[in-house]
Amino acid sequence: MAIVKGRDLEAKQLLQNIPPSIYIAIPAICYVEAINTYRIDKKNQSEFQAEMDKQINEAMRDKTSIHPKLLLVHLEKAYIENTRLLNDVQIRFSETINLLTQNAEIINFTSSIIKDISQHAVALKETLLIKNDLIDNLILQCIVSHANQHPYDQKVFISGNTKDFGKQEVREILNSAKIKYFSNTKNFLGWLDSQLF
């Protein structure tokens, strides 16, 4: 979603022109999370659009003051820009999903990941490493499992979710699987350039 929302320009550029030295793998659950986040954002934007529509109608009904007329001009402009934003995000979302599915391996769940998460889910107290976030725990287990299947490859994990993946205990798990963590693509590319010299 960082690409879709314009927060990680380097990631989109990387996906459009992947160097031969880079191999991308993404847990399947990341696609599910991205689709769900997109749907929630679209719903919120649509609700905002509907509220602006109501306010436009209210401003049009007031014939006595200049303020509703001025507000109406701004609301109509905001309505148009919000519609453009919704369309733009939809296009970027589709383009990003297409780029990812064309250029990245999908990491599926293994039976051991499902069993492990199930055991944590039935535990009486919270036992997941990333508290109260099943999806992020699944992501973490998928990438660690995939990394363990490729012990001789240099591995990197990029996620802007520093709240969960930037935690010391999570970074220790990543380090033990020989996975280097970056919070954005720009930092990864800087590190990658430094490795080439």
Side-chain angles (χ1 to χ4, degrees):
M1 288 305 291
I3 296 171
V4 174
K5 298 212 173 186
R7 295 181 191 145
D8 195 341
L9 301 176
E10 291 83 4
K12 183 174 183 179
Q13 292 167 354
L14 177 64
L15 283 174
Q16 290 172 329
N17 190 21
I18 301 172
S21 61
I22 295 177
Y23 178 78
I24 300 173
I26 300 173
I29 194 68
C30 290
Y31 289 100
V32 174
E33 185 176 39
I35 292 165
N36 191 49
T37 300
Y38 170 75
R39 290 183 66 209
I40 290 168
D41 287 354
K42 185 177 178 182
K43 179 180 177 268
N44 291 340
Q45 286 298 106
S46 296
E47 288 173 358
F48 178 62
Q49 192 88 343
E51 183 58 34
M52 279 194 295
D53 203 23
K54 276 177 29 182
Q55 295 303 321
I56 286 169
N57 287 335
E58 282 299 312
M60 289 172 69
R61 293 172 63 184
D62 189 331
K63 307 292 184 199
T64 60
S65 173
I66 189 159
H67 299 294
K69 290 180 181 89
L70 293 173
L71 178 61
L72 179 62
V73 169
H74 294 293
L75 284 172
E76 287 173 335
K77 286 180 182 177
Y79 188 91
I80 291 166
E81 289 306 317
N82 192 56
T83 301
R84 289 178 178 160
L85 176 61
L86 282 168
N87 292 336
D88 188 40
V89 168
Q90 181 176 343
I91 291 166
R92 284 188 278 167
F93 181 78
S94 296
E95 287 174 350
T96 301
I97 293 295
N98 286 337
L99 280 169
L100 289 169
T101 56
Q102 290 170 9
N103 297 307
E105 173 192 352
I106 295 177
I107 303 170
N108 291 309
F109 298 121
T110 63
S111 57
S112 63
I113 290 172
I114 293 168
K115 286 177 187 174
D116 186 54
I117 287 292
S118 297
Q119 288 173 355
H120 287 288
V122 298
L124 294 176
K125 67 177 207 154
E126 179 71 53
T127 58
L128 293 169
L129 182 61
I130 302 172
K131 302 295 182 214
N132 302 314
D133 197 328
L134 180 64
I135 301 297
D136 285 346
N137 280 284
L138 283 168
I139 292 169
L140 180 62
Q141 287 197 22
C142 283
I143 62 172
V144 168
S145 173
H146 188 268
N148 290 335
Q149 294 169 20
H150 303 274
Y152 303 109
D153 295 337
Q154 193 163 28
K155 296 162 286 284
V156 169
F157 173 55
I158 303 171
S159 173
N161 180 357
T162 56
K163 182 181 118 251
D164 292 325
F165 295 113
K167 290 179 180 174
Q168 183 62 35
E169 57 271 20
V170 174
R171 291 180 76 146
E172 287 172 9
I173 296 290
L174 293 170
N175 287 337
S176 69
K178 297 184 173 87
I179 302 169
K180 191 154 183 62
Y181 170 72
F182 294 96
S183 61
N184 60 57
T185 307
K186 182 178 182 179
N187 291 346
F188 160 66
L189 292 173
W191 171 83
L192 183 64
D193 285 344
S194 74
Q195 301 300 299
L196 300 174
F197 298 107

